[in-house]
Amino acid sequence: MGADSPQPVRILVVDDDPGDVLMIEEALADSDVDKIIDVVSDGEEAMEFLRAEGRHEQARRPDVILLDLNMPRMDGRQVLGAVKQDEDLRTIPIVVLTTSNADTDIVGSYTLQANAYVTKPIDLDDFNDVVRRIDEFFGRVVVLPKRA
């Protein structure tokens, strides 16, 4: 790649539901935005990945995080709080992508500085459309912070 070639967008998907992960990956694959997708299945693994520790010591910093709220061990709320309090990680945009449409989850996520809150649609076509819109927005529209 030349100096002017855009780098692929690095997306970290944090979700413990294999079916949802598969649908997210398929929806992302449908777009022509150049991207690299990494997947972790819970909050503890997400923090290992983001800090390049343990089994993820080779992990590369993502440009955007798609974060589910309801996960075992360390849930999405805890991840959101930890990332936004971390000087090295807080500039990574986080899109909460979850089944919950509870006001407490929405307000709580924005209070913890989520960049967006999106409820996962039940309908497969709607789900694909939502994920593609997120991909298009962060892959083409938004100016993301440069990677260190």
Side-chain angles (χ1 to χ4, degrees):
M1 276 188 196
D4 296 326
S5 297
Q7 291 186 315
V9 175
R10 291 186 155 280
I11 300 171
L12 176 62
V13 177
V14 185
D15 198 318
D16 67 319
D17 184 321
D20 283 355
V21 169
L22 183 61
M23 289 192 305
I24 291 167
E25 288 178 318
E26 288 176 352
L28 290 172
D30 281 346
S31 92
D32 60 356
V33 174
D34 193 14
K35 71 189 75 61
I36 297 168
I37 304 165
D38 292 299
V39 178
V40 296
S41 59
D42 65 50
E44 285 184 10
E45 189 179 0
M47 294 312 299
E48 269 185 27
F49 185 96
L50 291 167
R51 292 177 175 144
E53 296 172 345
R55 62 192 147 170
H56 293 290
E57 63 185 345
Q58 300 299 316
R60 303 276 309 271
R61 179 186 177 95
D63 295 306
V64 64
I65 300 169
L66 300 183
L67 177 67
D68 187 27
L69 287 184
N70 301 309
M71 296 179 293
R73 299 200 308 160
M74 180 182 196
D75 72 16
R77 296 161 198 82
Q78 294 168 300
V79 172
L80 187 54
V83 169
K84 294 304 182 177
Q85 289 174 10
D86 187 307
E87 196 70 37
D88 296 327
L89 303 175
R90 67 171 41 143
T91 58
I92 301 171
I94 298 179
V95 176
V96 173
L97 181 61
T98 189
T99 54
S100 173
N101 61 1
D103 286 341
T104 53
D105 284 336
I106 297 166
V107 171
S109 294
Y110 282 118
T111 299
L112 291 170
Q113 301 175 332
N115 298 85
Y117 190 102
V118 179
T119 302
K120 292 177 183 173
I122 303 300
D123 180 79
L124 180 61
D125 289 336
D126 292 344
F127 188 97
N128 286 338
D129 186 51
V130 162
V131 173
R132 278 194 297 268
R133 286 174 187 245
I134 293 168
D135 184 43
E136 188 73 21
F137 184 68
F138 283 97
R140 296 201 190 285
V141 177
V142 170
V143 177
L144 295 167
K146 289 201 185 326
R147 292 183 211 134

